Amino acid sequence: MRIVKLNEESRQDILANLLKRDPNNYTGYEDKVREIVENVKNRRDEALLEYTKKFDGADLTADRLRVTEEEIREAFSLVEPSLLSVMEKSMKNIREYHEKQKQYSWFDSQPNGTILGQKVTPLASVGVYVPGGKAAYPSSVLMNIIPAKVAGVERIVMVTPPGKDGKVNPVTLAAAHLAGVTDAYKVGGAQAVAALAFGTESIPRVDKIAGPGNIFVALAKKAVYGHVSIDSIAGPSEILVLADESANPRYVAADLLSQAEHDELASAILVTTSMELAEQVSSEVEGFVKELSRKEILEKSLENYGYILVADTMEDAIEAANQIASEHLEIVTRNPFEVMTKIRNAGAIFLGEYSSEPLGDYFAGPNHVLPTNGTAKFFSPLGVDDYVKKSSIIYYSKEALEPIHKDIEIFAEAEGLTAHANSIRVRFEK
């Protein structure tokens, strides 16, 4: 990995390079995505089936789009019992963590005759997109569905691309069933997002779409936003390790590569105050890359977006971490809890040398659907809040409104909204 001295110039160069990965920069695909979305909106199942054959090689009919009970049973028979057991343990942790996020309706009654409050209501229906292809991502299935179940969503629909045989990856299907999905459909890509947003003869529309996907899925979610809600426009994965001379270079190198292997746009950055650690980590990375299965992806990812930044002070290192606002931030210092208090921007923060990023991906419980590409400055991880909506509650008796009614009228008339003022005034006419 390249070792760079951290200064204002190098920091700005790296930030500019990382921003190139923003899905909003891939405007060349937008016209194609809009065409797919409009086609599904207008031609519904007919367009869905055409795209499924064209992009996934699966020749389905409308009555085969929905996953059947028989297919679910078959999926469970094909999944190793040991993996099912691990998923159930992971589910328990995820559910317990997200149950602590639940908010409840509240009301505040005052002696003057006012009641103010907030009503919390689960969304009626959500759609969860799960990537398909050769790989299966059951962890993402659990992370997207379980918070919706905890929130109380009644209908949770999963869409995922089928294989050429017209079947869903059995691990994906088993995870979805364990997590509590209501229905699953064999459709992927931008066409699946459009189906969830507008509905077809086979797939009812939903109120919100969540889940990761490729650039076509990301741009389709952007295109349908407003017709439905979405969780976020997810960018490539990223990790930043903040370390001092006490860190174990072999652990740090392994953790950097745990994200670099996702794809060629993934980012892996070490920010440290120790040149010795920087050199040791670089050496360990080279050794690991030679041994790991996704060597070509790792090499490309590190070449494009891999950095080791050496800072003069820990304060400079922390400031760089806050500016980069990484999806995953590991703090491997003598006192990681003290450093953590100075972090403002990160999707998930991992403390200490035994809290490596994959612990969060698979098992600990906090959600692994996280803000990417600097959006941790203003976005949060996926959670129960993403699957509920809130309504304000306002009640005033006549006795409570009377002493303030003229104040409201003055305010409304100052804005030139005389009908607003009149709406209050008529209640106190002689």
Side-chain angles (χ1 to χ4, degrees):
M1 290 180 72
R2 80 197 90 178
I3 299 175
V4 179
K5 184 69 176 174
L6 179 63
N7 54 39
E8 188 57 32
E9 182 181 359
S10 62
R11 180 161 44 201
Q12 293 302 326
D13 287 346
I14 290 167
L15 286 170
N17 191 38
L18 294 177
L19 287 173
K20 293 176 184 176
R21 306 172 311 135
D22 189 335
N24 290 312
N25 290 333
Y26 291 84
T27 54
Y29 297 102
E30 285 185 336
D31 288 345
K32 182 61 178 174
V33 168
R34 271 195 296 268
E35 178 188 326
I36 293 172
V37 168
E38 285 299 313
N39 202 7
V40 172
K41 180 181 178 182
N42 295 322
R43 297 176 55 231
R44 307 170 79 193
D45 273 358
E46 184 181 8
L48 270 189
L49 296 170
E50 286 179 6
Y51 287 127
T52 301
K53 184 173 183 179
K54 178 179 179 181
F55 296 131
D56 301 309
D59 195 0
L60 299 177
T61 53
D63 60 344
R64 291 184 60 207
L65 282 174
R66 185 174 179 273
V67 173
T68 65
E69 291 292 329
E70 183 181 346
E71 288 173 311
I72 293 170
R73 286 193 295 271
E74 180 187 15
F76 273 92
S77 72
L78 296 172
V79 180
E80 288 290 335
S82 58
L83 178 55
L84 291 174
S85 175
V86 169
M87 286 197 289
E88 287 171 347
K89 292 176 185 176
S90 175
M91 280 177 55
K92 179 177 182 292
N93 294 339
I94 296 167
R95 186 180 297 109
E96 288 178 354
Y97 180 87
H98 286 85
E99 282 174 348
K100 293 179 174 66
Q101 294 181 340
K102 283 191 74 171
Q103 294 189 46
Y104 298 90
S105 301
W106 58 267
F107 300 91
D108 180 29
S109 175
Q110 294 295 325
N112 66 355
T114 66
I115 299 175
L116 301 178
Q118 181 172 267
K119 186 174 185 291
V120 179
T121 308
L123 299 182
S125 58
V126 299
V128 173
Y129 187 93
V130 177
K134 297 178 181 177
Y137 299 99
S139 60
S140 284
V141 176
L142 303 183
M143 292 290 183
N144 280 277
I145 293 176
I146 291 174
K149 289 291 291 185
V150 171
V153 177
E154 290 183 9
R155 187 166 65 90
I156 304 172
V157 177
M158 181 181 77
V159 291
T160 189
K164 291 182 179 179
D165 59 358
K167 294 185 177 182
V168 173
N169 186 295
V171 176
T172 297
L173 201 50
H177 186 74
L178 286 173
V181 77
T182 312
D183 294 295
Y185 294 92
K186 307 167 193 174
V187 58
Q191 60 272 22
V193 174
L196 292 173
F198 300 110
T200 73
E201 294 91 341
S202 298
I203 303 177
R205 72 178 299 278
V206 298
D207 295 322
K208 184 165 188 171
I209 301 171
N214 62 19
I215 188 63
F216 289 95
V217 171
L219 291 176
K221 287 168 72 176
K222 181 181 176 182
V224 302
Y225 177 64
H227 298 282
V228 292
S229 180
I230 62 172
D231 54 348
S232 64
I233 306 293
S237 190
E238 54 201 26
I239 185 171
L240 188 149
V241 179
L242 189 57
D244 60 18
E245 68 281 357
S246 69
N248 183 317
R250 190 165 175 82
Y251 295 175
V252 172
D255 293 356
L256 291 170
L257 294 175
S258 73
Q259 292 308 290
E261 77 169 342
H262 271 294
D263 61 61
E264 295 175 358
L265 294 176
S267 166
I269 299 173
L270 166 64
V271 185
T272 181
T273 51
S274 169
M275 178 60 79
E276 182 180 1
L277 178 72
E279 293 170 347
Q280 290 173 335
V281 169
S282 181
S283 177
E284 291 285 356
V285 165
E286 288 180 15
F288 277 133
V289 169
K290 293 174 183 176
E291 302 169 0
L292 296 169
S293 61
R294 297 167 73 91
K295 179 181 176 183
E296 290 184 9
I297 291 175
L298 287 168
E299 288 176 338
K300 199 69 175 176
S301 169
L302 295 175
E303 178 187 339
N304 292 332
Y305 303 107
Y307 298 93
I308 297 176
L309 305 178
V310 181
D312 290 330
T313 66
M314 182 52 67
E315 286 69 28
D316 289 342
I318 291 169
E319 184 56 30
N322 279 323
Q323 287 194 15
I324 293 169
S326 185
E327 177 188 17
H328 307 98
L329 171 65
E330 290 188 7
I331 302 176
V332 194
T333 60
R334 281 197 173 83
N335 192 341
F337 289 91
E338 180 184 354
V339 173
M340 180 267 293
T341 64
K342 300 174 183 177
I343 295 298
R344 300 188 303 275
N345 306 320
I349 302 173
F350 301 78
L351 303 174
E353 64 180 6
Y354 289 100
S355 305
S356 64
E357 188 279 335
L359 175 65
D361 268 357
Y362 296 112
F363 208 78
N367 211 288
H368 78 198
V369 181
L370 303 166
T372 59
N373 228 56
T375 60
K377 292 175 180 175
F378 45 82
F379 280 146
S380 305
L382 186 74
V384 172
D385 260 4
D386 290 283
Y387 295 110
V388 301
K389 56 193 178 74
K390 300 166 186 175
S391 304
S392 303
I393 303 296
I394 301 168
Y395 167 79
Y396 268 59
S397 66
K398 181 179 181 181
E399 292 73 22
L401 183 61
E402 187 167 17
I404 62 166
H405 78 91
K406 288 189 181 296
D407 294 336
I408 301 169
E409 293 163 25
I410 290 169
F411 217 149
E413 287 167 354
E415 293 187 349
L417 300 176
T418 55
H420 278 63
N422 188 58
S423 172
I424 298 292
R425 186 180 297 112
V426 296
R427 285 164 167 78
F428 297 96
E429 290 174 337
K430 299 294 186 186

